Amino acid sequence: MKKIILLITVLLSCNFLSYSQNSLPNLSLKTIDGKTINLVDFGEKDQVVVYSFWATWCVPCINELDAINDEYEDWTEETNFKLIAVATDNARTSSRIKPLVNGKEWEYEILLDTNQDFKRAINANTIPHIIIVKNNKILYTHSGYTPGSEIELYEKIKELAE
Amino acid sequence: MKKYLLLVAVVVSIQVSAQEKWFSGSFNSNSQYYVDDSKTGDFTEDDRFRSNNYLKLDALYKNFSFGVQIEGYVPQAILNFSPTFNKEIGLATYFANYKNEKLDITVGHFYEQFGSGLVLRSWEDRELGINNALMGGKVNYTPINAIQLTALYGKQRKGFELSNGEVFGLDSEINITDLLKSTNSTLNIGLSAVRRVNEEATNTNPNFNKNTDAFSGRLNFSKGNIYSNIEYVFKTEDALVELGTVNTNKLAEGNAFIFNTGYSKKGFGIDATFRRLENMNFYSDREEDGNIYNQQVVNYLPSLTKQHDYSLANIYVYQAQPKLSYNPLGKAGEIGTQIDIYYNLKKGSALGGKYGTKLALNYATWYGLDAKYNIVDRTYSSEFLTFGNKYFTDLNLEVRKKWSKQWASLFTIGNIYYNKKYIEETVGDVRATTVMAESTYKYAPKKSIRVEAQHLWTKDDKKNWLAGTLEVNLSPRVSFFATDMYNYGNETKKIHYYNFGGSFTKNSTRIALNYGRQRGGLVCVGGVCRFVPESTGFGLALSTTF
């Protein structure tokens, strides 16, 4: 037990001390139309790309994506960024992704992460989970959603887009 | 132990000194302290304090990557995890990977899924205590963008050990439309073969084959607003397993068929699925067939029903019925459909209001196969497209409504039929209606209160339930909640399953503390359920990524 606590302390303190960044994993995922796309192909040079990990059964995830969608047009006009919604649904619920996305009129590009390879590669323990990427470097990560925290997210996006 | 600490120390010190971070990881810990409670019963097992811990470390160097996952169950795993996990600390999984544009080679533990997983899926779910990673080798080859080939071999993870049975797999996926340079539609073809090799110690049948093969063919098509997927699986003869005893004298083939189609445009989406499973249980070691911890499953057969987010809607949850059994009831599989409709009432319309109204309708119905069973001989014959006993139906509607910038609400109503006799192999059936209403009020731009009320009506089983939740989000970082589920209709045991707690989140670090009662019965996440007894106690959850 003591050893575990020690280990956690060491890791957490290093985490707060270090400012270095992780690279986006070299992965190919399917789009909602069945085409295969490599992650490095998203985003032009210096463009901020936000990946939001969600699932059709995750109510806070949908609340977050609904809330961002209401502002998406204004925000993307003001700041050069785009959001990719990464659906972590497995075979149980993946057939619901396409009708849900269209039914909700979401403007996002959708990627399918059916066996959670992308989610695992970026070490997301739970969803909703967000990473902000620029030039294939992960600059910011965030877990969880409460109403209004999309404002904080947008502030972060603006800061990183500069 | 010392070795792991050393390893961590080395990795960490390199990280601090390096300019470019080349390693990443996560830590996740779930602990429980169980207390005695006159309502849920005294805690009679060993170790009131139990903790599950997962440390994952990945390193990347040019085209190579390496990873380890260290798991610790201190002093043993929290209630209802498979006893195979009971180890204070151990190296759970590790891998080395090389990847370039065409080749992706992994040695060690790996996760993989062929198509939708009907023949093979290795995955991890820490909440459910599932990690059936394969330990061996895997090669993915992508000669051109439109063609992907996979070959793998491995033994399945079984706690901190490995299965006796071996799994071989081949998969191919070809994007036909990409090959033909057609851009206005997509057609993918996939073919897979999986072989499970598992010798049986006692076998008197010369016709018994230690190898069981599963072959799958699938097509995915999408053009404009419509799409369609179809898959068929054939599984070769396998021995009948009853209560963990393998009977090599009784052999039966299995098969699965799934058809899914949908249409969607802006503001509207419909999706329909038909699936039939017959004798499709597939385990890396035969004697594990039907184990309650869902260990050593080779394929993935989720129940195709709506995954509800509210507590009362999760009391009677369907589980897929792929298993062939004769005792206590004749069952050979399942057949049924599910339909989903999403519709957005436009902003500004009479029913849509200023912000629009979002509707989601779901209907699922599942039956046993129409089959005749010879209980004495342990044989059966089944029909292909006719339905047998009704197992489950669920019809539910969800309405999301934003009233103003501050107010948003969500309503659900659902009606279910749950055949307890066939699903749980006990007695009786349940007809229940559930309603739920929740409202969120933002009293400041980043502060909100959420109130939720639910009721379940049924004359069967444990009768009526009432439930409520109050959640206060003081900032995007700090939240508190209190919930209660009250089984007031139950004459023999009226009980409040209350729970309260709070959480602190900063970036991707989250700490949560709670105290309360856990309802017994089936607890389901992601379509997989496991049986848990009632308990009361404190919980602490910690997770971070770095």
Side-chain angles (χ1 to χ4, degrees):
Chain A
M1 187 65 211
K2 268 185 208 154
K3 288 170 194 166
I4 289 182
I5 292 171
L6 181 74
L7 190 140
I8 297 162
T9 324
V10 170
L11 281 166
L12 286 181
S13 49
C14 286
N15 187 21
F16 290 125
L17 286 171
S18 101
Y19 295 98
S20 46
Q21 299 137 6
N22 287 314
S23 297
L24 198 63
N26 175 14
L27 274 179
S28 292
L29 292 181
K30 278 214 171 105
T31 66
I32 203 167
D33 297 317
K35 297 190 168 59
T36 306
I37 276 193
N38 196 298
L39 291 178
V40 295
D41 296 335
F42 281 107
E44 304 137 29
K45 190 174 181 291
D46 293 335
Q47 190 188 25
V48 167
V49 184
V50 179
Y51 292 89
S52 172
F53 292 79
W54 68 289
T56 58
W57 46 263
C58 166
V59 170
C61 304
I62 290 171
N63 290 344
E64 177 168 38
L65 289 167
D66 269 346
I68 298 172
N69 201 51
D70 287 346
E71 314 285 347
Y72 198 55
E73 225 182 297
D74 292 345
W75 287 356
T76 46
E77 244 170 53
E78 193 181 83
T79 312
N80 177 26
F81 84 100
K82 63 177 167 184
L83 190 144
I84 317 281
V86 183
T88 60
D89 289 86
N90 64 39
R92 175 169 192 209
T93 50
S94 56
S95 65
R96 235 172 246 139
I97 297 166
K98 204 167 181 172
L100 185 148
V101 167
N102 270 324
K104 286 187 166 293
E105 304 189 37
W106 284 352
E107 304 288 336
Y108 318 124
E109 281 181 75
I110 310 288
L111 288 179
L112 308 181
D113 192 19
T114 17
N115 208 24
Q116 286 98 46
D117 294 328
F118 189 12
K119 184 181 164 225
R120 198 178 304 115
I122 60 140
N123 290 302
N125 289 320
T126 54
I127 55 169
H129 189 91
I130 276 194
I131 59 172
I132 305 184
V133 174
K134 190 174 169 181
N135 299 324
N136 295 318
K137 292 271 178 266
I138 301 170
L139 302 181
Y140 176 76
T141 58
H142 184 80
S143 293
Y145 173 75
T146 56
S149 61
E150 71 276 6
I151 303 168
E152 214 167 68
L153 175 73
Y154 183 55
E155 284 160 7
K156 200 79 204 175
I157 293 169
K158 273 201 288 193
E159 180 194 320
L160 294 172
E162 278 165 11
Chain B
M1 179 61 214
K2 271 185 197 154
K3 275 182 282 183
Y4 303 133
L5 270 180
L6 186 70
L7 179 107
V8 172
V10 169
V11 174
V12 163
S13 50
I14 292 169
Q15 181 210 2
V16 174
S17 61
Q19 293 277 314
E20 172 96 356
K21 189 171 170 186
W22 55 273
F23 102 92
S24 61
S26 68
F27 177 74
N28 185 205
S29 166
N30 293 307
S31 307
Q32 285 284 333
Y33 183 82
Y34 300 98
V35 298
D36 295 337
D37 180 337
S38 58
K39 281 281 190 178
T40 59
D42 288 349
F43 187 77
T44 52
E45 298 183 44
D46 295 339
D47 303 318
R48 282 176 186 275
F49 175 81
R50 296 177 181 208
S51 178
N52 294 4
N53 301 276
Y54 309 83
L55 175 67
K56 182 171 169 282
L57 292 168
D58 296 318
L60 188 72
Y61 181 74
K62 290 185 177 162
N63 287 353
F64 293 91
S65 61
F66 307 89
V68 291
Q69 181 161 306
I70 297 161
E71 297 178 9
Y73 301 87
V74 191
Q76 57 172 304
I78 54 180
L79 281 184
N80 310 301
F81 273 68
S82 166
T84 55
F85 286 110
N86 283 344
K87 189 171 179 181
E88 285 226 349
I89 190 158
L91 185 60
T93 65
Y94 51 90
F95 72 87
N97 173 275
Y98 172 83
K99 188 171 185 175
N100 65 24
E101 274 184 10
K102 293 190 169 169
L103 269 178
D104 179 349
I105 304 167
T106 310
V107 179
H109 290 88
F110 58 86
Y111 303 97
E112 178 65 65
Q113 176 176 317
F114 290 172
S116 68
L118 272 179
V119 291
L120 181 127
R121 185 186 186 207
S122 60
W123 55 301
E124 181 187 31
D125 189 307
R126 291 173 186 173
E127 226 172 312
L128 283 169
I130 290 176
N131 187 325
N132 64 354
L134 286 160
M135 160 70 190
K138 179 179 79 155
V139 179
N140 295 96
Y141 178 51
T142 313
I144 53 170
N145 227 345
I147 299 176
Q148 287 169 38
L149 306 168
T150 304
L152 61 83
Y153 162 79
K155 288 188 167 196
Q156 222 170 20
R157 189 180 162 194
K158 180 185 185 179
F160 288 89
E161 286 163 21
L162 296 174
S163 62
N164 290 320
E166 298 164 288
V167 177
F168 295 83
L170 290 172
D171 183 56
S172 60
E173 182 144 327
I174 302 158
N175 186 327
I176 302 289
T177 37
D178 206 16
L179 279 182
L180 302 173
K181 309 266 182 264
S182 158
T183 49
N184 61 352
S185 63
T186 310
L187 177 67
N188 289 317
I189 290 183
L191 293 168
S192 340
V194 174
R195 166 167 290 187
R196 185 271 324 266
V197 182
N198 187 205
E199 197 77 70
E200 291 301 328
T202 49
N203 170 37
T204 52
N205 182 0
N207 291 325
F208 169 75
N209 189 340
K210 67 181 190 321
N211 305 334
T212 306
D213 296 330
F215 303 100
S216 152
R218 58 185 191 268
L219 276 176
N220 303 315
F221 174 75
S222 150
K223 184 179 166 98
N225 294 331
I226 60 159
Y227 61 91
S228 194
N229 311 303
I230 189 165
E231 181 167 4
Y232 181 76
V233 175
F234 173 74
K235 186 161 77 82
T236 60
E237 275 188 339
D238 198 2
L240 178 70
V241 184
E242 294 186 294
L243 301 168
T245 307
V246 181
N247 183 348
T248 54
N249 290 308
K250 298 296 169 193
L251 305 174
E253 292 171 344
N255 64 77
F257 173 70
I258 183 163
F259 175 68
N260 164 253
T261 188
Y263 169 86
S264 72
K265 57 170 192 169
K266 282 279 168 245
F268 176 75
I270 181 166
D271 180 87
T273 303
F274 169 84
R275 187 176 75 179
R276 183 185 185 279
L277 301 175
E278 178 170 352
N279 187 24
M280 273 304 290
N281 266 9
F282 199 17
Y283 287 78
S284 55
D285 288 326
R286 283 188 194 86
E287 69 268 16
E288 293 297 327
D289 189 304
N291 75 80
I292 59 163
Y293 300 111
N294 297 305
Q295 302 296 303
Q296 290 187 258
V297 184
V298 173
N299 56 352
Y300 182 59
L301 307 169
S303 56
L304 296 181
T305 57
K306 183 154 183 171
Q307 192 167 325
H308 294 289
D309 206 57
Y310 299 97
S311 56
L312 296 187
N314 277 320
I315 294 179
Y316 301 108
V317 178
Y318 183 63
Q319 297 175 86
Q321 302 290 320
K323 185 171 160 58
L324 172 63
S325 65
Y326 296 94
N327 182 23
L329 296 157
K331 285 160 77 174
E334 65 163 36
I335 181 168
T337 57
Q338 175 170 235
I339 296 165
D340 280 283
I341 298 172
Y342 291 89
Y343 186 65
N344 192 7
L345 293 163
K346 288 222 159 17
K347 286 177 189 175
S349 66
L351 287 167
K354 190 180 171 191
Y355 294 94
T357 302
K358 286 161 182 165
L359 307 177
L361 183 79
N362 167 269
Y363 175 68
T365 183
W366 295 96
Y367 291 78
L369 297 185
D370 181 12
K372 289 191 174 61
Y373 302 89
N374 184 329
I375 305 294
V376 180
D377 288 350
R378 295 291 198 250
T379 55
Y380 77 101
S381 63
S382 66
E383 300 293 324
F384 184 56
L385 284 178
T386 51
F387 292 23
N389 293 308
K390 193 201 244 183
Y391 287 174
F392 181 82
T393 60
D394 183 358
L395 173 65
N396 58 79
L397 175 72
E398 176 189 296
V399 181
R400 274 170 180 268
K401 175 89 198 138
K402 189 170 161 184
W403 308 102
S404 69
K405 279 216 179 286
Q406 286 80 37
W407 276 104
S409 297
L410 208 160
F411 306 95
T412 67
I413 179 160
N415 187 277
I416 64 142
Y417 169 77
Y418 180 85
N419 191 332
K420 214 174 161 183
K421 178 180 166 190
Y422 276 90
I423 299 170
E424 295 180 12
E425 298 182 357
T426 53
V427 284
D429 56 2
V430 182
R431 284 167 182 81
T433 302
T434 318
V435 294
M436 191 287 303
E438 72 154 77
S439 267
T440 306
Y441 177 65
K442 268 202 252 179
Y443 62 93
K446 294 178 195 170
K447 298 168 191 233
S448 60
I449 288 182
R450 188 174 76 91
V451 181
E452 170 198 304
Q454 306 177 52
H455 194 271
L456 182 146
W457 286 268
T458 180
K459 293 189 174 110
D460 308 308
D461 198 38
K462 292 177 178 164
K463 311 288 191 301
N464 288 3
W465 289 80
L466 184 67
T469 298
L470 175 69
E471 188 183 298
V472 183
N473 300 306
L474 292 179
S475 76
R477 298 212 165 109
V478 183
S479 308
F480 295 97
F481 76 91
T483 65
D484 188 29
M485 284 171 76
Y486 182 38
N487 193 188
Y488 74 92
N490 191 342
E491 272 153 34
T492 49
K493 194 177 176 186
K494 284 189 178 26
I495 179 167
H496 285 277
Y497 294 98
Y498 54 77
N499 221 312
F500 46 89
S503 66
F504 176 79
T505 312
K506 186 171 186 285
N507 298 346
S508 59
T509 301
R510 185 169 187 273
I511 299 167
L513 193 69
N514 79 295
Y515 175 78
R517 287 177 178 158
Q518 165 71 50
R519 180 179 66 86
L522 286 170
V523 169
C524 305
V525 182
V528 181
C529 303
R530 89 203 144 94
F531 197 82
V532 300
E534 291 190 336
S535 65
T536 306
F538 294 91
L540 172 69
L542 236 165
S543 77
T544 187
T545 62
F546 43 86

